[in-house]
Amino acid sequence: MVGGMLAMIVINVGITWYERHWGRKLQSALLLADAEHTKSDVLASVLALISIQSAFLGWYWMDT
């Protein structure tokens, strides 16, 4: 499960970079907005991994 989430994070970071690059080059507000949305997915995934890790360590207070 964790490996899949890490792979998804890496892929989404690449997608964010790609969309931001082309959004700036083409001056596309749509691509830039989608890049920001994908970046928020990366942040949510990182926070979920932190929650999972804290549960494994017994730090249940971190995910209250």
Side-chain angles (χ1 to χ4, degrees), residues 2-3 11 21 31 40 59 62:
V2 174
I11 290 168
H21 169 76
L31 281 174
S40 72
W59 300 345
M62 295 236 346

Side-chain angles (χ1 to χ4, degrees), residues 20-48:
R20 188 178 300 136
H21 169 76
W22 283 103
R24 288 178 180 161
K25 190 169 186 164
L26 300 172
Q27 297 179 349
S28 170
L30 181 67
L31 281 174
L32 292 172
D34 196 49
E36 289 300 312
H37 177 257
T38 307
K39 185 171 71 173
S40 72
D41 290 343
V42 170
L43 178 60
S45 297
V46 168
L47 292 174

